[in-house]
Amino acid sequence: DQQVKQNSPSLSVQEGRISILNCDYTNSMFDYFLWYKKYPAEGPTFLISISSIKDKNEDGRFTVFLNKSAKHLSLHIVPSQPGDSAVYFCAASAIGSNTGKLIFGQGTTLQVKP
Amino acid sequence: DSGVTQTPKHLITATGQRVTLRCSPRSGDLSVYWYQQSLDQGLQFLIHYYNGEERAKGNILERFSAQQFPDLHSELNLSSLELGDSALYFCASSVGGEDQPQHFGDGTRLSIL
């Protein structure tokens, strides 16, 4: 049972345009969501997070949107740069569980073309 | 550089053997987490330690164990290794609050021959 799903295995965008990565979850207990970027041979790098009391969080070129009713979150990267080419993972946790356990999606590979 | 250090980067061993993976968390972080990434699976939570005490367990096999020492570094011990244990093992650390991001090391790649 995959509780966090990233249905698009890959995405290709032109440099300077917007990249939109999507993530769906099924567990209504999830209330903290994160996005990570991963380059080959490196660990996941934290990008941005959002708690369920918000519907938007911005950090520079990165914005995460949360739609709780649809159990959907998205990461917008504007403008996209070639260095953004990587695998992006969304992750979710239930703060009330007190486990710190993150549930990860399968990842979306983003390619930004110059 | 996340500030989380994992050693060794690569480990090659045989079935039935035992190995120890080491993790040094970011300075000031009290929580350490271990995750496993196999080829056909995403990142899977194994175990969480907070300030030396086990906080939560995931789908961690009985052949696997972990501990966090007084200096907050952590070790993951894998014994009676099987071919299916070949994977990337990641350590992450956080300040400790459940609503704080986890920061990951670059992982240890374990290959069982």
Side-chain angles (χ1 to χ4, degrees):
Chain A
D1 175 29
Q2 203 169 342
Q3 300 183 68
V4 178
K5 294 180 183 178
Q6 295 176 255
N7 291 317
S8 299
S10 63
L11 175 67
S12 181
V13 300
Q14 209 65 36
E15 180 179 6
R17 306 297 290 269
I18 184 171
S19 295
I20 300 176
L21 296 102
N22 294 303
C23 180
D24 297 297
Y25 62 96
T26 56
N27 190 337
S28 58
M29 299 301 292
F30 289 153
D31 52 8
Y32 182 57
F33 304 89
L34 309 91
W35 283 95
Y36 287 86
K37 175 172 73 173
K38 188 180 182 303
Y39 294 120
E42 294 184 12
T45 299
F46 169 70
L47 282 175
I48 193 168
S49 63
I50 188 168
S51 73
S52 60
I53 61 172
K54 294 184 170 182
D55 52 20
K56 177 183 173 181
N57 191 24
E58 247 178 298
D59 185 359
R61 297 186 297 114
F62 301 93
T63 302
V64 56
F65 295 91
L66 175 62
N67 183 333
K68 292 184 286 294
S69 60
K71 294 190 177 67
H72 177 84
L73 65 155
S74 61
L75 176 69
H76 292 210
I77 307 174
V78 184
S80 300
Q81 299 171 354
D84 295 330
S85 297
V87 180
Y88 288 77
F89 292 94
C90 68
S93 73
I95 293 176
S97 71
N98 291 319
T99 65
K101 174 182 179 179
L102 292 181
I103 307 294
F104 283 84
Q106 294 294 98
T108 297
T109 300
L110 172 66
Q111 182 186 29
V112 180
K113 297 179 179 177
Chain B
D1 182 10
S2 67
V4 178
T5 304
Q6 287 188 250
T7 56
K9 290 192 184 305
H10 303 277
L11 204 45
I12 301 174
T13 188
T15 55
Q17 296 298 304
R18 172 189 168 93
V19 296
T20 297
L21 282 52
R22 182 188 169 104
C23 171
S24 294
R26 295 187 320 161
S27 176
D29 283 358
L30 298 178
S31 273
V32 170
Y33 310 81
W34 287 95
Y35 291 85
Q36 179 192 55
Q37 185 178 31
S38 305
L39 270 176
D40 57 347
Q41 300 265 356
L43 281 148
Q44 303 286 320
F45 170 77
L46 293 177
I47 198 163
H48 168 201
Y49 273 84
Y50 175 79
N51 203 21
E53 293 191 4
E54 182 184 302
R55 177 66 70 90
K57 266 185 176 178
N59 297 324
I60 187 167
L61 299 172
E62 285 191 13
R63 301 184 285 108
F64 295 3
S65 64
Q67 51 185 327
Q68 186 180 25
F69 295 87
D71 67 351
L72 300 177
H73 92 270
S74 178
E75 292 180 356
L76 180 66
N77 300 295
L78 315 177
S79 61
S80 303
L81 287 168
E82 301 176 359
L83 292 176
D85 298 329
S86 295
L88 266 169
Y89 292 84
F90 288 104
C91 167
S93 73
S94 75
V95 170
E98 304 297 332
D99 60 347
Q100 297 298 314
Q102 296 175 24
H103 299 272
F104 284 77
D106 286 340
T108 293
R109 180 172 292 281
L110 175 63
S111 298
I112 313 299
L113 303 180

